Amino acid sequence: MSGTLVLDSEALSKLSRRHRDMAVWLDVARTLDLLIVTSAATLVEARDPEIVQAAFDFAVSLTKVRPITEETARSASKLLTAEGLHGDTYAIDAMVAATAHAEHGDVTVVTSDVDDLRRLCHPRIAVEAI
């Protein structure tokens, strides 16, 4: 495994809709032998009742779901504090960032929230728009 691709809720939602942007990211992940990861919190935010459950479940099955442990929550809290942020507006983004920080090697976050994730992620983590 040469690196990790971390999906935020919009990326996971587009994956469950089989959006072509995510098809490109899946091809990149396969070509580069990247692990595809998402945060357990992302599953809650990404779940759209208009998407058939089986399609959502299939999209999730393509990822390794990382749990929100106390360590992850504390890391997310520290990231928010370092940026002077707080509250539910940034909470899941911070958990995605903390999930990305826990990964080793090259890490890329695919997100619709580029500005917030760039603030919350260390410079070693690439943040790419979906």
Side-chain angles (χ1 to χ4, degrees), residues 22-57:
M22 282 312 299
V24 171
W25 278 108
L26 284 179
D27 287 344
V28 167
R30 286 185 189 114
T31 300
L32 298 177
D33 193 29
L34 302 177
L35 177 64
I36 303 172
V37 168
T38 196
S39 163
T42 301
L43 272 60
V44 178
E45 186 178 30
R47 185 65 184 102
D48 181 342
E50 293 182 11
I51 298 172
V52 175
Q53 185 68 46
F56 183 77
D57 292 343

Side-chain angles (χ1 to χ4, degrees), residues 79 82-83 97 100-101 105-109 116-128:
L79 292 170
E83 288 300 315
H101 289 163
D106 295 329
V107 179
T108 301
V109 176
D116 290 342
L117 267 297
R118 282 198 178 129
R119 285 180 73 181
L120 294 166
C121 287
H122 295 153
R124 78 168 181 89
I125 297 171
V127 177
E128 298 292 336

Side-chain angles (χ1 to χ4, degrees), residues 6-23 25-26 36-39 41-63 92 96 110-113 130:
V6 179
L7 307 183
D8 83 341
S9 64
E10 184 64 21
L12 183 59
S13 179
K14 284 187 174 188
L15 182 59
S16 67
R17 289 184 170 96
R18 298 185 181 179
H19 193 278
R20 71 176 163 261
D21 290 348
M22 282 312 299
W25 278 108
L26 284 179
I36 303 172
V37 168
T38 196
S39 163
T42 301
L43 272 60
V44 178
E45 186 178 30
R47 185 65 184 102
D48 181 342
E50 293 182 11
I51 298 172
V52 175
Q53 185 68 46
F56 183 77
D57 292 343
F58 178 74
V60 171
S61 77
L62 298 175
T63 72
I92 293 181
V96 169
V110 180
T111 180
S112 61
D113 224 348
I130 186 62

